[in-house]
Amino acid sequence: MSTSHPREERTLVLVKPDGVKRGLIGEIIHRLEQRNLKIIALKMIWATKPEMDKHYPKDEAWITRLGEKTKKTYDKYGYDLKGELGSTDLFEIGKMVRSWLVDFMVSGPVVKMVVQGVHAVDMVRKISGQTMPSLAEMGTIRGDYSVDSAAAANKEKRAVHNIVHASETPEEAKHEIDNWFTPEEIHAYKRMEEDIQF
Ligand code: ADP
């Protein structure tokens, strides 16, 4: 991990097109700031496909994991994986889900931001709630504002609309921040409560 002090941990947050179109940008920023997480870079963009393609990992393990998640949903709800997606190969299915995801992420503007604070990566994931909104706890962004599920999404062959993206690990955060921001676009400043809080 590249940061020296825990309060300097950084993560990347994207308000996905569904979050932007539903007017949830302010609510999301509010929830992050309320938890003493500091927004140190912020911009609205309408990404191109190649830009979004660079954002999501391309390694086999990550893609296969997406396929595994999808298979779990199909098993849970008794759907026919092969019948609906034409394959049972988890890597092939993962690639399919990844392409739905990229299509969704370029279907409208997104708001990208770098968020800094103690355990920023885990904190933002916690505030966001788990991937599938239908399972996300109340009080999380996904739990409070979405009811989408993989079952519904996969029936329609699209990505789950779950309002936000948040990096999963500090290493992933670094890769994602480098993908979306230049160092000059990231700003260091002190929030008032920093002297009191810690
Ligand atoms: P997270 O965004 O919580 O880190 P993942 O990295 O597993 O979740 O997946 C990336 C994104 O891909 C999710 O946020 C969601 O939009 C979409 N997604 C994941 N799994 C599926 C699936 N089975 N069907 C449709 N979309 C999915």
Side-chain angles (χ1 to χ4, degrees):
M1 209 181 107
S2 60
T3 55
S4 51
H5 189 287
R7 81 165 66 149
E8 281 161 24
E9 187 171 303
R10 292 175 173 184
T11 189
L12 182 94
V13 175
L14 299 176
V15 181
K16 294 186 175 184
D18 56 331
V20 172
K21 289 177 183 168
R22 291 179 55 197
L24 294 172
I25 301 166
E27 177 64 28
I28 291 162
I29 292 174
H30 171 67
R31 287 179 181 221
L32 300 173
E33 289 193 319
Q34 159 178 284
R35 193 115 200 222
N36 283 345
L37 290 161
K38 186 159 66 175
I39 314 293
I40 56 171
L42 180 73
K43 190 172 182 181
M44 178 181 277
I45 52 155
W46 195 320
T48 62
K49 248 186 169 183
E51 280 171 338
M52 206 42 92
D53 188 59
K54 255 174 47 195
H55 166 77
Y56 285 108
K58 284 195 177 71
D59 59 282
E60 194 169 335
W62 192 87
I63 293 174
T64 305
R65 187 185 59 85
L66 267 188
E68 268 162 21
K69 274 193 174 179
T70 306
K71 180 177 183 323
K72 261 193 208 151
T73 307
Y74 273 69
D75 290 348
K76 179 166 177 204
Y77 292 98
Y79 295 158
D80 173 15
L81 194 68
K82 178 133 177 91
E84 295 216 14
L85 300 182
S87 176
T88 50
D89 182 307
L90 298 182
F91 181 60
E92 287 306 314
I93 292 168
K95 280 203 290 195
M96 216 178 295
V97 174
R98 191 184 183 282
S99 82
W100 296 339
L101 182 55
V102 171
D103 285 344
F104 170 51
M105 293 298 283
V106 300
S107 68
V110 303
V111 172
K112 58 178 186 174
M113 53 188 129
V114 181
V115 176
Q116 180 172 298
V118 174
H119 299 305
V121 169
D122 287 346
M123 281 306 136
V124 174
R125 300 277 298 182
K126 188 169 171 177
I127 294 166
S128 300
Q130 62 162 288
T131 309
M132 299 305 161
S134 55
L135 303 174
E137 294 289 342
M138 301 296 124
T140 64
I141 293 167
R142 288 166 170 173
D144 286 350
Y145 290 104
S146 175
V147 289
D148 201 10
S149 75
N154 294 174
K155 275 269 175 206
E156 293 166 10
K157 306 221 178 339
R158 60 164 175 83
V160 169
H161 295 173
N162 55 6
I163 306 169
V164 281
H165 163 83
S167 316
E168 220 170 329
T169 63
E171 294 70 31
E172 192 177 283
K174 185 174 175 349
H175 165 80
E176 294 180 351
I177 292 167
D178 290 348
N179 186 47
W180 291 115
F181 289 97
T182 63
E184 297 72 38
E185 291 173 314
I186 302 175
H187 302 285
Y189 66 97
K190 196 166 186 178
R191 265 180 59 165
M192 272 168 59
E193 69 279 60
E194 281 182 40
D195 289 330
I196 312 161
Q197 184 85 23
F198 309 109

